[in-house]
Amino acid sequence: MVDFSLYAGRWIGLTETGEVASVGQSPAAARNAARGSHPKAYLRLAWVSPHPPHLALPAWPLHEIRAILPESGVWLAGGPARDLLLGRPLHDWDFAVAGNAIRLARRVAEALDAAFYPLDKERDTGRVIATDPATQRPITLDFAGLRGQTIEADLRHRDFTINAMALTLDGHLLDPTGGQADLAARQIRLTYPRSFHDDPARLLRAVRQANALGFHLEHGTELALRSQAATIKTVAAERVLAELQHLISTPPATHGLQALHQLGLLHYVLPEIEELDAIRQSWPHQYNDVWTHTLAALAALEGLLALLKGQGRHRSVDHYARVPAWAWPDMQKTLAPHQTALLDYLEAEVNVEITRADLLKWGALFHDVGKHATSSVDAEGLIHFYGHEKAGVQRTQARLEALHVPNKSLRFVTTLVAEHMALVHLSQSPPPTRRAIYRFYRRTEAAGVGVVLVALADCMAVWGAKLERAHWRRQLETAHALLAAYFERQDEVVMPPPLLTGHDLMQMGLPQGPEIGRLLALLREAQACGDVVTRESALAFVAEHRA
């Protein structure tokens, strides 16, 4: 973390890497100095607090709203204070208010020309959703009334010490529970003994935050978590889902899931996944249990997503998916032509704040959950899991319904589970035909591209260091054909525009009913295969195939 004490009380311009590019007595002075030294660089302005530890407070939105905030009785609290101390960028802002928080939130929304709504009237909490002018991304500002007579009382009853700190608007740090020391020790510690008892959702949050920050659980906190793990069953499904979603979407998800397993929480929140630890498997799997294989598939998927984003792989990827060195460059070469389109595909939301990239991780986590019910051993001692995809869909759907996963996201994940073997089957004789590609996307719809990516990760997890280049290239060749069809020839192969409608068929004398649907489906496939390309040939096709 950068030491900003040399710039106390002044404005600075920061580069994207957090280095100080300019200094000034005012925002304008810092901005002008930055333009002279870094004319083409993206810079953000910040004001350095005169109080230790001299944090750089971002100009937006603080500078814009300082005029309407009271001089006292408002603090930047919890996560934002923690992240500023860690030198992490702020995405959401939480303010503690000694007064009417909802009224203040409404005034801030008016000042920023932003959206406002009361988040929790009973607890006096209002939310502002504004657009960051630099990034054009939505930013959330929450204003909450104090949960106690004083800010110190409020902080002492928060979950963990690293989240129980606050900053005055001029950067004076309040730390009644020793959060700054725990940040230095890189540990998660309860603020008070009954913290888990008062809100059992904190059991999952402890693991999730430790994973996100790369911290460990303080010894007493870990003992308390283990002893109270069963109380997670009392937490509403929506809150459990929110914590799991955060954990799974944050690399390395494998670390967080391992921690849930070791601490006894996985048994209560994802019992189907915990059971994979006891399921044995044989050749060609590099791991002899399905649990470790599942972690390897998830790690490989995270490596694939990092590759698409131009980021380095986390060491957990190579720990679990120990593939030969040439496997990653070969895959990068296959995905590169579609990199921009793939990133757009992955970043699209299926439901609010749930992207396709998030759901791919859920798919990797559940892809082999059906092996629990389908294990069999042949005469040679090899273990098989015939039909595990279908069994997996049933178990996945039951668990996601129990977690109250929205329907669109649920269908997306169950499609990933149902079709995760499709790439293997299509690679038996690559490249796949136009008919096979059309039928693949007819089954998978919007999840089809995700199926391809999960299947590639699964292949890495299965074979590991024993992955043969010829086998890998067949998988990649098939993946290339499927992705090229989706991103380059969608109107031709994946979803050709209809040449005829049901009305057209009724004008040919066909009665309204299922026969029309059957003929239109046959016609769409014939178009996708290139057998029918004009309206005239479509009419002839229908005449030939009508019952």
Side-chain angles (χ1 to χ4, degrees):
M1 179 178 171
V2 179
D3 180 5
F4 294 112
S5 60
L6 293 174
Y7 315 104
R10 289 183 287 176
W11 289 86
I12 59 174
L14 296 171
T15 67
E16 290 185 274
T17 58
E19 298 175 353
V20 177
S22 63
V23 185
Q25 293 297 330
S26 68
R31 187 181 295 110
N32 290 335
R35 286 173 179 167
S37 59
H38 295 73
K40 297 183 179 180
Y42 165 76
L43 299 175
R44 56 186 177 89
L45 294 178
W47 180 72
V48 180
S49 166
H51 307 289
H54 305 294
L55 298 176
L57 304 176
W60 191 91
L62 285 180
H63 187 57
E64 281 75 4
I65 64 177
R66 283 291 293 271
I68 64 172
L69 296 178
E71 293 185 4
S72 61
V74 179
W75 299 266
L76 191 60
R82 175 201 69 217
D83 288 342
L84 283 170
L85 285 164
L86 289 172
R88 290 158 55 95
L90 298 190
H91 300 291
D92 298 314
W93 297 67
D94 296 319
F95 294 90
V97 180
N100 192 315
I102 288 181
R103 182 188 304 163
L104 182 59
R106 185 178 281 109
R107 290 175 58 198
V108 169
E110 292 172 354
L112 296 177
D113 191 23
F116 160 81
Y117 62 93
L119 193 63
D120 187 337
K121 290 184 178 180
E122 291 186 5
R123 297 171 68 87
D124 189 24
T125 303
R127 171 163 291 180
V128 177
I129 301 180
T131 300
D132 186 330
T135 64
Q136 296 302 307
R137 292 183 177 179
I139 301 294
T140 299
L141 295 84
D142 285 346
F143 295 80
L146 293 181
R147 311 291 189 258
Q149 295 298 314
T150 65
I151 182 62
E152 287 79 7
D154 177 296
L155 296 175
R156 288 182 186 279
H157 281 82
R158 296 196 174 212
D159 48 11
F160 312 116
T161 61
I162 63 170
N163 300 329
M165 296 179 284
L167 292 165
T168 61
L169 298 183
D170 64 351
H172 180 72
L173 179 66
L174 304 177
D175 182 14
T177 64
Q180 194 173 8
D182 285 331
L183 283 181
R186 302 181 65 80
Q187 66 181 8
I188 306 292
R189 180 165 60 89
L190 294 173
T191 53
Y192 63 103
R194 289 180 58 85
S195 181
F196 287 144
H197 178 274
D198 290 349
D199 185 2
R202 292 169 173 172
L203 295 160
L204 286 174
R205 194 176 308 147
V207 178
R208 188 253 295 177
Q209 291 200 341
N211 183 64
L213 297 171
F215 284 15
H216 65 275
L217 300 182
E218 178 265 339
H219 181 64
T221 299
E222 180 179 336
L223 290 178
L225 191 154
R226 289 180 181 275
S227 66
Q228 299 178 58
T231 63
I232 195 64
K233 295 186 294 183
T234 66
V235 178
E238 291 82 359
R239 298 187 69 200
V240 172
L241 174 62
E243 292 296 338
L244 289 174
Q245 170 63 20
H246 279 299
L247 185 148
I248 291 170
S249 65
T250 304
T254 50
H255 287 190
L257 289 163
Q258 277 279 39
L260 291 181
H261 186 33
Q262 293 165 0
L263 294 167
L265 282 169
L266 196 65
H267 173 74
Y268 299 107
V269 294
L270 296 174
E272 301 85 357
I273 304 302
E274 189 207 32
E275 291 171 354
L276 301 179
D277 194 15
I279 302 173
R280 304 274 76 83
Q281 55 186 10
S282 54
W283 185 90
H285 292 86
Q286 63 169 320
Y287 296 110
N288 62 9
D289 68 274
V290 182
W291 162 247
T292 309
H293 164 73
T294 297
L295 294 179
L298 186 56
L301 180 63
E302 289 188 334
L304 185 156
L305 296 176
L307 183 151
L308 285 172
K309 295 176 183 177
Q311 302 170 347
R313 295 193 301 276
H314 190 277
R315 60 182 179 275
S316 66
V317 175
D318 293 325
H319 171 76
Y320 284 108
R322 307 186 186 102
V323 293
W326 42 257
W328 291 102
D330 283 1
M331 182 164 65
Q332 184 174 28
K333 184 178 179 180
T334 297
L335 301 180
H338 313 292
Q339 182 175 10
T340 300
L342 280 166
L343 288 173
D344 289 342
Y345 171 89
L346 293 166
E347 291 169 4
E349 288 189 345
V350 177
N351 289 103
V352 177
E353 296 185 350
I354 303 178
T355 67
R356 287 171 175 160
D358 296 332
L359 297 180
L360 258 60
K361 290 191 175 186
W362 283 91
L365 181 62
F366 276 87
H367 80 283
D368 273 351
V369 75
K371 288 184 174 179
H372 178 270
T374 57
S375 178
S376 63
V377 182
D378 66 18
E380 297 179 355
L382 292 178
I383 303 172
H384 301 281
F385 303 97
Y386 298 119
H388 75 279
E389 305 98 309
K390 183 177 181 180
V393 168
Q394 296 171 351
R395 302 200 85 197
T396 301
Q397 181 166 336
R399 177 50 49 195
L400 297 189
E401 286 178 348
L403 288 171
H404 295 182
V405 172
N407 287 335
K408 286 179 66 177
S409 292
L410 187 153
R411 288 195 298 271
F412 193 97
V413 176
T414 53
T415 301
L416 296 177
V417 174
E419 297 290 340
H420 75 273
M421 296 295 293
L423 190 69
V424 172
H425 300 321
L426 290 171
S427 298
Q428 299 301 317
S429 55
T433 64
R434 288 178 58 161
R435 187 181 305 277
I437 292 173
Y438 171 77
R439 289 182 174 179
F440 169 78
Y441 283 112
R442 187 180 62 189
R443 296 193 310 272
T444 60
E445 299 180 329
V449 170
V451 169
V452 174
L453 301 183
V454 169
L456 290 175
D458 187 29
C459 181
M460 286 182 153
V462 168
W463 293 95
K466 296 180 181 179
L467 179 63
E468 296 179 355
R469 199 162 195 173
H471 176 76
W472 186 228
R473 285 181 169 172
R474 285 196 300 273
Q475 304 290 308
L476 294 175
E477 184 179 351
T478 304
H480 169 74
L482 292 169
L483 296 177
Y486 188 86
F487 291 121
E488 299 172 11
R489 305 173 66 193
Q490 185 155 154
D491 288 346
E492 183 182 350
V493 180
V494 177
M495 195 181 299
L499 292 171
L500 299 176
T501 66
H503 180 70
D504 292 325
L505 268 61
M506 284 190 286
Q507 286 189 327
M508 296 175 65
L510 275 83
Q512 189 173 4
E515 175 66 4
I516 287 181
R518 184 186 74 84
L519 287 169
L520 289 177
L522 286 175
L523 178 59
R524 281 194 297 270
E525 183 167 311
Q527 285 183 247
C529 296
D531 298 335
V532 175
V533 294
T534 66
R535 179 178 173 85
E536 291 71 22
S537 60
L539 291 169
F541 179 90
V542 170
E544 180 184 352
H545 288 84
R546 62 186 296 179

